[in-house]
Amino acid sequence: MTTKNPEYDFKWCPGCGDFGVRRALEFAMAERIQKTGSAMESNVVVAGIGCSGNLVHLLEGPQPFGFHGIHGRSLPIAMGTKMARPDLNVVVVAGDGDFLSIGGEHIGPQAARNLNICAVVMDNGVYGLTKGQSSPTTELGTNTSSTPYGKIEESINPLELYLTLGVSFIASGFSGQPRPLAKLIAQGMDHPGFSIVHVQSPCTTYNDTYEIIKGNSKKGIEPSIWELPEDHDASDKQAAYGVVRSGGLPIGVVYQQEGRPTLDDRQADLREKAPLKSAQELLDAFQL
Amino acid sequence: MQTRDFVVRFAGEGGQGVVTAAEMLARAASSVGYHVQTFATFPSQIMGGPTWTQTRISTSPVLSPGDDLDVLVALNHEAYQGHNEEVRSGGVILHDSEFESPDDERAIGVPFDELAKQAGEARSANMVIIGALAHLVDMPLAFFEDFVQKRFAGREGIIAANVAALRLGYEHASDSEVQIGQLEPPVKPEGEQLLIKGNEALSMGAIAAGLDFYVGYPISPATPVLLFMERNLVGPGKFAYQVSSEIESIAGLLGAGFAGKKAMTATSGPGLSLMSEGIGLSWIAEIPLLVIDVQRGGPATGLPTKTEQSDLQAALHPAHGDVSIPVIAPGTVEECFYGGVMALNWSERYQGPVILLSEMSLAEKAQNIPKPDLGQVVSESREVYTGTNGYLRYDGWELSPMPIPGGPGAYVANGSEHDAMGDTTHLPERHVQMTERRFSKLKLLEDGPFERVNGDEPIALMTWGGSKGPSIEAYEDLITEGHKLAWYYTMCLNPLPPALLEELRSKDLVIVPELNYQGQFSSYLRSLSVKAESITQFTGLPFKVRELKKRIIALAEACKGGKVAA
């Protein structure tokens, strides 16, 4: 919303990582409309349900179109919008519970299609809005409100999952670095195909990981965040597997597959092949 | 003896060409001007399993599949055993003389495959059968020869073999010296005719109404709609695509409807269940879209290839929360076309979800219908917002123009309760206002047409959906026999046309034939203060007219005797 709406009563907690992701997305979209000369209204932000999904209401400045739908279905809603209107820039914003648990079934099909959208996943390792249940990225053994004696399920490695499913652009970022994150989101939006920017976006209330990510020299905690080296070859899938299996929080473009047609490219090719018939011609074919 | 009506059933095993034979007979007969209808029921497997298809040919429009068989074509012994009791007295059973002749004076053995081979084309056994049938009802073989000429135009070898097969079948049946009557010559219907199935007619209706976007997932008996769209919904701005689940289907429609496209999918009961939450989202976020449910039998996987009308309550209230989804249920193949047009128009007009209920018996029924005049089809499109930014999308008490991405008026389409600009809110007065706004939009859909005959009678017959055909036939018989009964019918089940509802409320009893256990439509009518009672059937098959008449009379008598509590 462009101006403060007194009726809108949702708030992120102080220090929530999602503030930084919102800022980064605003930077990336502003840069994009400037670069392409398009209007902000040609951007569509499809949001999932959870703390992260509220981002779509909290964007400041010129407003894109938004769709705040139902839990887990942001990807297929975005698929509908993109295939209806390939000219639009479609961005998904979702959390780890929304994207990887209830919505996990939708990642594979978009990867196989190389659907030309960018998904920004805010991973805080917990269900925040429902007050602290375990999510797919919560570590094994963690006590949460839904795992009072410790989580008995291993956490997933989202970046490795995306690689394995064939997502054609994978970046890893941190909400505490809005400017570099904006650059990754901009690259994701520019990438022709399915891009995921997976962001560590800590939950200060239920799973505060700032110290783990940034480190604390006084306590002798080493930062887990690390920059991908400049010589990382993002087109090399094996190198990408090396990155996502090396632990910590890598920052940068992990993998980018170039030159692969998108679903709308292939759809356009198909139109060349399919014989175009009018409604009248179709009806005439049934005539006795 | 002259007859005006001829019912033949082809029964055998899946893969034996049973459906092809029945449809070929229907096509040949309709091409010379007879009215035809087929009815098919399949096993749920690719090959094998007992299957049968019925073709009814008449000199006047065909309303139901026909209660009794004039001829049974039995391709194996099981088919003979399973169906011979439905052959009327004086009827004939044509059976493959490959299997042992049943001890049945109605039976005529014909070596279908052997005669086909003699004709020079092993695959022409269907023509042998059709030739034999032509003899039995004394139809000129020339009708079918012309049909073969046209169907295989340019392929002289195949034409010769098929014509030879027709003649061999005809001659073989002549040797038996049995005939069941002479089918009167056809009275060619006025105007151009189509031979089309329900699923195809629905698809054509939606395309005529300007459909842009189709995504779907294979499911019996709705799959033919997906296949039709994949093949034909092509060209600039059009999109048809198979997605990974019915959840993806409904989500895809939401995304496309939001982006300004006329969007639809077709599914069956299990898919409708999976779409539940998405349909609710479409209602609250006010996104136009159309879901076609081609009903099959039972819950869960149920009876995937049998017919039933048991999804009505699920269609009226598919989602949690306060919703009331507009429902259109065509009752004939012709209505499938116009129902498809109307359903897409409704979704655009009130900017929300519409469910069209078809059913297996309509979906697979090939029937001749008057060719729709596309010039007369009205295609409605939503009112699009063209003003400036800062627009209140959900303002007002009824409808507001819809902004389309790329254009002005950016807003958030919101599945959470929201204020006029689309922001989430929990204020009690806003939930009241928005709930009332959503329900008020249904008023835009109260223009549905309905049928009324003998409206002064206090007891009425009112069926819905695919039970229309057998119900009309029963009704017309009953009136001819002197019974007093009103007839009402509409495709528009929600909202019901208000004038119709008012008349129904004045009746002593409304009798509702429907194919489900619970009497779903009559309980809906009772919830609207109509005294209604159902005649139910849940066999997976359509009503037989004779049975229906008996049960209508019994209910009407009970009402007059004060024995119906309604």
Side-chain angles (χ1 to χ4, degrees), chain A residues 228-280:
Chain A
L228 284 179
E230 274 189 21
D231 63 352
H232 170 64
D233 180 2
S235 68
D236 180 346
K237 198 157 186 173
Q238 286 314 312
Y241 270 113
V243 167
V244 304
R245 286 171 180 163
S246 57
L249 169 56
I251 298 294
V253 176
V254 175
Y255 179 66
Q256 183 167 19
Q257 183 185 16
E258 306 266 11
R260 182 175 157 200
T262 64
L263 185 64
D264 49 294
D265 290 338
R266 290 198 161 115
Q267 170 67 15
D269 289 349
L270 214 64
R271 287 201 182 108
E272 305 277 307
K273 283 185 219 160
L276 183 58
K277 290 185 192 131
S278 67
Q280 192 62 59

Side-chain angles (χ1 to χ4, degrees), chain B residues 115-315:
Chain B
L115 292 179
K117 275 182 210 140
Q118 270 184 40
E121 171 56 74
R123 288 171 301 174
S124 64
N126 284 335
M127 288 298 164
V128 174
I129 296 170
I130 290 173
L133 290 170
H135 165 75
L136 291 176
V137 286
D138 200 15
M139 277 167 87
L141 211 46
F143 286 174
F144 298 104
E145 290 177 358
D146 283 353
F147 170 74
V148 166
Q149 294 279 358
K150 281 186 199 134
R151 186 179 171 91
F152 302 109
R155 292 185 283 172
E156 294 307 321
I158 294 177
I159 291 173
N162 277 288
V163 168
L166 277 171
R167 287 181 186 163
L168 285 169
Y170 191 93
E171 283 159 19
H172 196 94
S174 319
D175 293 344
S176 70
E177 294 185 356
V178 176
Q179 271 196 320
I180 58 173
Q182 185 185 35
L183 191 61
E184 284 181 14
V187 187
K188 220 170 166 121
E190 270 183 45
E192 293 169 320
Q193 299 276 309
L194 307 180
L195 185 66
I196 191 166
K197 291 182 180 176
N199 272 340
E200 295 162 341
L202 276 176
S203 305
M204 279 312 309
I207 285 176
L211 181 70
D212 298 306
F213 187 99
Y214 184 98
V215 288
Y217 187 77
I219 184 168
S220 297
T223 309
V225 181
L226 170 66
L227 306 190
F228 188 88
M229 293 302 176
E230 290 266 21
R231 187 166 287 279
N232 296 315
L233 191 66
V234 295
K238 306 287 182 186
F239 184 66
Y241 187 61
Q242 177 182 331
V243 291
S244 69
S245 70
E246 286 90 349
I247 291 179
E248 270 211 348
S249 297
I250 189 70
L253 300 191
L254 283 157
F258 166 73
K261 296 292 184 174
K262 295 187 180 185
M264 97 171 198
T265 189
T267 186
S268 190
L272 184 68
S273 296
L274 286 177
M275 292 180 192
S276 173
E277 191 186 14
I279 292 170
L281 172 57
S282 154
W283 169 262
I284 189 170
E286 305 189 26
I287 308 291
L289 57 85
L290 169 59
V291 174
I292 291 176
D293 172 13
V294 186
Q295 298 166 95
R296 58 199 223 179
T301 304
L303 296 168
T305 57
K306 303 293 172 191
T307 206
E308 203 162 88
Q309 301 177 286
S310 51
D311 292 354
L312 176 63
Q313 293 290 353

Side-chain angles (χ1 to χ4, degrees), chain A residues 1 5 7-9 41 57 63 65-66 68 77 80-81 84-85 110 113 271 276 280 282 284 286-288, chain B residues 30 192-193 195 200 235 238 241 248 252 255 261 371 389 405-407 411 413-415 419 423-424 426 430:
Chain A
M1 62 198 130
N5 178 355
E7 269 195 33
Y8 180 69
D9 54 7
E41 294 80 44
H57 300 288
Q63 295 290 293
F65 275 77
H68 195 183
I77 290 174
T81 299
R85 289 282 304 278
Q110 316 319 323
R113 294 164 187 157
R271 287 201 182 108
L276 183 58
Q280 192 62 59
L282 292 172
D284 290 347
F286 293 102
Q287 188 156 340
L288 281 165
Chain B
S30 58
E192 293 169 320
Q193 299 276 309
L195 185 66
E200 295 162 341
K238 306 287 182 186
Y241 187 61
E248 270 211 348
K261 296 292 184 174
K371 186 177 183 182
N389 282 337
Y411 73 108
N414 198 347
D419 60 16
D423 279 335
T424 305
H426 304 104
R430 206 63 66 228

